[in-house]
Amino acid sequence: MKAVFTFLFILGLTIFLSAQKVDYKSNIISVDGNKIGKVEVQKQNFGLTKNFNLYSMNGEKLVIAVLSTEFEGDKNDNTTMYYRFTFLPTNQVGIFKLSTLGMEKGFVNLIGKGGVVDGNTLNEAKVTELIASKGVSPRAAVNYTLVSRNKNWPIELKQDKSIEQGEKIGFFMSTGNRGGQDSYEFFVPSGVLVAKVSFAGGNNAQNFELFSAKDNVRKVVAIPQKDKMGSISTVDPNSLTLKRIAVWLVENGYL
């Protein structure tokens, strides 16, 4: 038992001695009393959000940290935001979470406790370690605007693989056949991916597998067989099923 207490005491003492004290005054970061860099704060959105630049004490720009809006927010955590850190001397990039209530403090602690500053430059190994231990890999958000159109117009597939409803609202392309399943991708006119679909049975397909890039949904959807499709393009061997899928995508707000 005595040996256990001795071990725990030594472990606690080691942790205490190795812990770095990070101070932040007048935009200067100090670690264990040593000044390591100066922070430039750039207020955005009337001060609701902030971006940061870190300079060495000699004025060399070392780190750029900007709010990343291209990522989906964490549905289980509404207290943080994603920031993209660019470590200029080492040409490394990492995504980190910073608290919405303490963005500046979060930035300072990541830099100070990470030990990435080495004199007037950065320690590449420490940067790699920081990204590996504290970095995150959020899923990119897919945002797009649907084409404004009169939805009373019929949906048509054109020879150039465009999809029209009075005007061009998107396009599709084949991605091949695998295991008896034909696969296609649908896009809005700007080129943003709307959905990936696959089905078996050609123009007699009863259902299709859908992956929606917008809301990260993957499911099997039944294809209505009795709906009147009007004139059917010959642009693709599966034109009838593709038109039925395009109609479904429009009716459900994907296209």
Side-chain angles (χ1 to χ4, degrees), residues 82-114:
Y82 294 119
Y83 271 75
R84 181 184 300 276
F85 282 52
T86 301
F87 300 92
L88 295 175
T90 63
N91 197 30
Q92 293 167 281
V93 176
I95 306 299
F96 299 88
K97 282 185 175 183
L98 296 183
S99 170
T100 55
L101 299 178
M103 291 168 278
E104 192 168 349
K105 181 179 179 181
F107 173 76
V108 167
N109 282 331
L110 268 175
I111 295 298
K113 294 180 179 180

Side-chain angles (χ1 to χ4, degrees), residues 67-170:
L67 180 66
S68 291
T69 57
E70 71 268 32
F71 298 111
E72 288 188 354
D74 188 338
K75 296 178 182 179
N76 299 315
D77 180 9
N78 60 3
T79 64
T80 59
M81 293 184 290
Y82 294 119
Y83 271 75
R84 181 184 300 276
F85 282 52
T86 301
F87 300 92
L88 295 175
T90 63
N91 197 30
Q92 293 167 281
V93 176
I95 306 299
F96 299 88
K97 282 185 175 183
L98 296 183
S99 170
T100 55
L101 299 178
M103 291 168 278
E104 192 168 349
K105 181 179 179 181
F107 173 76
V108 167
N109 282 331
L110 268 175
I111 295 298
K113 294 180 179 180
V116 296
V117 179
D118 185 2
N120 291 307
T121 187
L122 298 178
N123 183 309
E124 184 172 356
K126 287 291 186 180
V127 172
T128 300
E129 183 180 340
L130 181 65
I131 295 173
S133 62
K134 299 294 184 180
V136 294
S137 300
R139 190 172 71 87
V142 178
N143 297 311
Y144 57 85
T145 302
L146 298 178
V147 174
S148 178
R149 89 303 292 259
N150 183 348
K151 291 192 175 181
N152 291 321
W153 281 82
I155 295 171
E156 301 292 340
L157 307 184
K158 298 300 183 180
Q159 291 298 318
D160 62 355
K161 301 187 184 299
S162 64
I163 305 168
E164 294 188 3
Q165 191 174 28
E167 57 186 288
K168 183 176 179 179
I169 63 170

Side-chain angles (χ1 to χ4, degrees), residues 6-22 32 113:
T6 301
F7 170 77
L8 292 176
F9 174 77
I10 294 174
L11 178 62
L13 182 62
T14 301
I15 294 175
F16 174 78
L17 292 175
S18 63
Q20 294 177 310
K21 183 180 179 182
V22 178
D32 294 336
K113 294 180 179 180

Side-chain angles (χ1 to χ4, degrees), residues 35-38 54-63 88-90 116-123:
K35 296 179 179 179
I36 66 167
K38 184 174 183 178
L54 175 71
Y55 293 86
S56 72
M57 295 308 297
N58 280 0
E60 297 293 328
K61 184 180 283 190
L62 302 178
V63 182
L88 295 175
T90 63
V116 296
V117 179
D118 185 2
N120 291 307
T121 187
L122 298 178
N123 183 309

Side-chain angles (χ1 to χ4, degrees), residues 165-221:
Q165 191 174 28
E167 57 186 288
K168 183 176 179 179
I169 63 170
F171 64 94
F172 69 93
M173 62 180 293
S174 171
T175 57
N177 180 291
R178 180 176 298 176
Q181 296 249 336
D182 291 306
S183 298
Y184 293 83
E185 293 180 345
F186 287 79
F187 305 82
V188 290
S190 63
V192 176
L193 177 67
V194 170
K196 296 181 180 181
V197 306
S198 59
F199 54 86
N203 285 320
N204 296 314
Q206 302 296 303
N207 52 57
F208 68 94
E209 182 178 340
L210 165 76
F211 170 73
S212 163
K214 185 176 184 179
D215 48 17
N216 198 31
V217 167
R218 188 180 296 276
K219 62 182 178 179
V220 175
V221 180

